Amino acid sequence: MALRYLHTMVRVKDLEKTMAFFALLGLKETRRHDSEAGRFSLIFMAPEGQEECPVELTYNWDGDDALPSDSRHFGHLAYAVDNIYETCQLLMDNGVTINRPPRDGHMAFVRSPDNISIELLQAGESLPPAEPWASMENTGHW
């Protein structure tokens, strides 16, 4: 039996904020489906050149009260980044809380506006420990 990865779907409450968050990570909208009858939108976002590995943002036009406040039933999305320190700094400069700083130069966790956990991993070898990351405490949970 052949199996092929298609996408990861997450439900979101604030589509614009969530799309802006993923755009900060370098994802771009690759396709969209708006259903007038179903009153929902499906927006697929993926890194440039990796359109086959999207995250599907499902947005219910009339709200989504069934979404838990911390979305921990989901787990997390993971992305490799070229420079974990620069990526975390960009996110922080744009108001994103670094929940688990990259103290080890290798791994960090942040959350989207809908509390979806995002794991960021340094591509290749870990970077040498550096401030302010090395002494930064965890914030909240991830």
Side-chain angles (χ1 to χ4, degrees):
M1 174 176 97
L3 185 70
R4 187 179 70 136
Y5 174 81
L6 294 178
H7 63 265
T8 298
M9 183 278 270
V10 294
R11 294 182 347 208
V12 303
K13 289 185 179 182
D14 188 322
L15 183 59
E16 298 308 315
K17 280 185 181 177
T18 300
M19 289 181 71
F21 171 82
F22 282 108
L24 281 173
L25 290 175
L27 281 69
K28 297 179 182 351
E29 182 175 332
T30 58
R31 69 187 149 113
R32 176 186 291 248
H33 171 74
D34 295 315
S35 173
E36 186 70 41
R39 303 200 45 75
F40 66 87
S41 295
L42 306 177
I43 293 84
F44 294 82
M45 297 184 75
E48 187 77 33
Q50 298 176 53
E51 290 77 13
E52 74 282 3
C53 298
V55 59
E56 173 191 325
L57 306 177
T58 298
Y59 175 69
N60 293 311
W61 299 355
D62 301 318
D64 199 343
D65 294 333
L67 246 169
S69 64
D70 78 353
S71 295
R72 288 303 294 165
H73 64 282
F74 167 72
H76 67 266
L77 298 173
Y79 294 99
V81 298
D82 289 335
N83 186 306
I84 197 156
Y85 298 143
E86 289 176 5
T87 301
C88 286
Q89 189 64 56
L90 172 70
L91 293 171
M92 225 168 60
D93 290 348
N94 282 275
V96 175
T97 299
I98 308 301
N99 299 102
R100 194 278 191 194
R103 289 183 293 274
D104 54 5
H106 182 72
M107 179 182 70
F109 274 89
V110 297
R111 285 182 166 235
S112 78
D114 291 291
N115 286 318
I116 297 160
S117 289
I118 310 294
E119 179 181 24
L120 303 172
L121 295 168
Q122 173 64 41
E125 296 294 317
S126 298
L127 299 179
E131 294 299 337
W133 315 106
S135 58
M136 190 179 286
E137 297 290 324
N138 292 343
T139 302
H141 61 282
W142 59 91

